[in-house]
Amino acid sequence: MSSKEKPTLGGTRIKTRKRNIAAPLDPAAFADAVVQIYLDNAGDLELVAKSIESCDLNFSRYGDTFFEVVFTGGRTQPGTVKPDEGERHPYAVIECEPRREVILPSVIYVQKILRRKPFLIKNLENVMRRVLQCLELFEENERKKLAIFTALAFSQKLSGLPPETVFEPLLKDNLVGKGLVLSFITDFFKEYLVDNSLDDLISVLKRGKMEDNLLEFFPSAKRTPEAFFEHFTKAELLPLVEYHEKKIFEVKLKEMKSAVTTQIAEEADICEVIETVKQQVKDAKLPDIEVVGILWDVLMDAVQWSGKNQQQNANSALRQVKAWAQLLNTFCTSGKLELELIYKVQVQCYEDAKLMKLFPEIIRSLYDQDVLAEDTILHWFRKGTNPKGRQALVKSLEPFVKWLEEAEEEE
């Protein structure tokens, strides 16, 4: 063998590394092919779905383009919803009549496609985000169609579509400022509530992190409870109005509770605390019956309980009652409110084992501090309606009631 010849291994198969050669991107041809499927089947969405299932188009690459065809009838210009060159079909969502029974088949059609090609959910999200961010480019009638489609998509629990896909893109300042978002979301709410309960709608809003921020759909100059009430009352969405009023009410109660809790923790003067509560009641128009309940909760929450030592617990609770009796007295201004306070004490003693035996002592202390009147205590004892622990608590209060009745007879 010549010294210049290189040795070889006979019979050895030399493997060559294959290169993955990507097919050239051609969304225009893909869009035209999908449009042709619509046209060949005259817009019959069941037949269109079957044709799409059996075709060999590259949906994993052109998923966004597919949903552009679904919503607008053809391909759109990159990054926009403006029509691009190419074939179009007249069976798109924005070409339908703005009625739920006409748009529902499109939602069911998309659901079928997603079940067979679940990877397309991300593409649906992409296109819906883009569409909703460009609401101003659509006519009023087209925006209503999109709202109906979106509501039906959630109503039909369209595979994996997250609510934030809808709500986040809507909160663009220019869209909100023009009132387009409020109009869209109103149509959305109305359509969704046709087949679903308010609780279902609230669940969707919660998942989209919007249940506490409904005023953000309003232009900044109209973000008031009054504007909310007026708009959605006119739209005949009274359950939503009631829900929102309840949320506002709960927030105001929490604010008052927080303010009083802070003052008690800081050992503020009782007159200062009373003025704080009065101002909160005036500003928020809080019902007296709610105020009494919150004040009791705050006072008991501030007690330093000592575990299983019943006597120390009794002493701590009674000291708290005595120290803040003036606060309770200021707001227990009627027999009805005094009775509400007894019910609060009853429920708390029933639910908290360490307080169960303290019930008669707490009632006696509230009586001694002139927070509770004799007639109110006797009424609760004889005719109280709250059943929680009532039998045991009535029995524990018998000696005190007997003392009251004897004192009344002596007088």
Side-chain angles (χ1 to χ4, degrees):
M1 183 175 68
S2 171
S3 61
K4 293 183 179 180
E5 290 180 356
K6 295 182 179 179
T8 60
L9 294 175
T12 300
R13 184 179 180 182
I14 300 175
K15 296 182 179 180
T16 58
R17 186 173 60 185
K18 294 182 179 179
R19 291 182 298 158
N20 292 323
I21 303 175
L25 293 175
D26 190 3
F30 176 89
D32 290 344
V34 174
V35 168
Q36 192 59 49
I37 291 175
Y38 274 87
L39 296 175
D40 290 345
N41 292 283
D44 186 322
L45 295 178
E46 287 191 15
L47 297 177
V48 171
K50 289 180 181 178
S51 297
I52 285 176
E53 182 183 4
S54 61
C55 74
D56 58 357
L57 294 175
N58 193 342
F59 286 87
S60 61
R61 173 163 289 176
Y62 304 121
D64 282 17
T65 303
F66 170 69
F67 285 111
E68 290 171 8
V69 175
V70 171
F71 281 102
T72 67
R75 186 173 174 237
T76 61
Q77 296 178 14
T80 74
V81 292
K82 296 179 180 179
D84 203 354
E85 295 180 358
E87 297 292 330
R88 312 196 76 76
H89 70 86
Y91 310 108
V93 173
I94 64 169
E95 299 295 339
C96 295
E97 293 180 48
R99 293 185 292 116
R100 59 187 290 111
E101 60 270 24
V102 177
I103 296 175
L104 181 57
S106 293
V107 177
I108 296 173
Y109 159 71
V110 171
Q111 182 77 289
K112 288 179 180 177
I113 299 298
L114 290 176
R115 283 173 181 164
R116 296 183 178 98
K117 304 179 188 297
F119 59 87
L120 286 176
I121 187 62
K122 286 298 180 184
N123 301 107
L124 175 61
E125 290 181 42
N126 294 339
V127 175
M128 286 195 71
R129 283 179 179 275
R130 196 188 317 150
V131 166
L132 296 177
Q133 286 175 337
C134 299
L135 281 181
E136 73 269 29
L137 300 180
F138 294 98
E139 300 293 334
E140 181 179 353
N141 215 26
E142 294 173 337
R143 291 195 292 270
K144 183 171 184 178
K145 297 169 191 176
L146 293 171
I148 294 173
F149 178 92
T150 306
L152 291 174
F154 285 115
S155 182
Q156 295 292 318
K157 296 179 173 56
L158 199 64
S159 302
L161 183 65
E164 56 267 28
T165 297
V166 173
F167 300 132
E168 287 180 4
L170 288 174
L171 298 178
K172 290 179 63 177
D173 291 341
N174 64 316
L175 297 179
V176 175
K178 293 175 182 177
L180 300 179
V181 172
L182 182 57
S183 176
F184 177 92
I185 209 68
T186 302
D187 288 333
F188 171 88
F189 288 158
K190 291 176 74 171
E191 290 297 330
Y192 186 83
L193 289 172
V194 171
D195 296 323
N196 302 275
S197 68
L198 180 64
D199 288 341
D200 293 329
L201 176 59
I202 300 308
S203 177
V204 171
L205 291 171
K206 283 182 177 179
R207 285 187 284 127
K209 300 178 182 178
M210 288 302 301
E211 80 277 15
D212 295 326
N213 305 306
L214 294 180
L215 285 177
E216 291 187 23
F217 293 129
F218 285 71
S220 56
K222 296 183 178 180
R223 287 178 188 171
T224 64
E226 294 76 18
F228 189 100
F229 176 88
E230 181 181 353
H231 176 80
F232 286 112
T233 299
K234 188 176 180 180
E236 300 181 349
L237 289 171
L238 290 179
L240 187 64
V241 172
E242 293 169 359
Y243 165 80
H244 190 251
E245 289 181 335
K246 182 180 178 181
K247 291 292 291 186
I248 292 176
F249 178 71
E250 290 173 353
V251 168
K252 290 177 178 178
L253 286 180
K254 286 180 181 178
E255 289 175 350
M256 190 192 81
K257 186 173 183 178
S258 176
V260 176
T261 298
T262 299
Q263 287 185 309
I264 290 177
E266 295 175 351
E267 299 182 351
D269 184 81
I270 193 168
C271 293
E272 183 182 341
V273 178
I274 290 172
E275 286 306 311
T276 295
V277 177
K278 285 183 176 179
Q279 192 62 46
Q280 291 272 357
V281 170
K282 180 181 178 181
D283 294 344
K285 300 178 181 178
L286 300 175
D288 293 337
I289 200 165
E290 296 286 349
V291 173
V292 169
I294 284 179
L295 292 180
W296 179 257
D297 287 340
V298 169
L299 292 179
M300 290 298 101
D301 288 344
V303 174
Q304 299 297 316
W305 305 107
S306 58
K308 296 181 180 180
N309 191 316
Q310 288 295 323
Q311 190 55 51
Q312 288 186 18
N313 287 333
N315 293 339
S316 297
L318 296 177
R319 278 198 302 270
Q320 188 79 327
V321 170
K322 186 175 181 180
W324 294 96
Q326 185 183 346
L327 175 63
L328 293 170
N329 210 352
T330 301
F331 297 96
C332 283
T333 54
S334 68
K336 181 180 179 181
L337 295 174
E338 291 176 18
L339 188 61
E340 179 63 21
L341 178 58
I342 296 180
Y343 285 139
K344 285 293 295 185
V345 178
Q346 173 189 347
V347 172
Q348 186 172 21
C349 289
Y350 168 73
E351 293 178 347
D352 193 336
K354 66 177 174 289
L355 293 178
M356 193 71 176
K357 294 182 180 180
L358 300 184
F359 181 75
E361 295 184 65
I362 292 174
I363 297 299
R364 176 66 182 261
S365 180
L366 290 169
Y367 171 79
D368 290 341
Q369 303 300 322
D370 294 325
V371 177
L372 296 178
E374 177 183 334
D375 290 346
T376 306
I377 297 172
L378 293 176
H379 176 84
W380 177 87
F381 184 81
R382 295 165 181 164
K383 301 180 180 179
T385 57
N386 194 315
K388 290 187 175 181
R390 176 169 172 78
Q391 187 174 357
L393 295 176
V394 164
K395 187 172 182 61
S396 71
L397 197 62
E398 279 182 354
F400 177 56
V401 169
K402 185 177 181 181
W403 178 84
L404 287 176
E405 291 173 335
E406 289 174 351
E408 187 178 5
E409 290 174 1
E410 290 178 2
E411 291 178 2

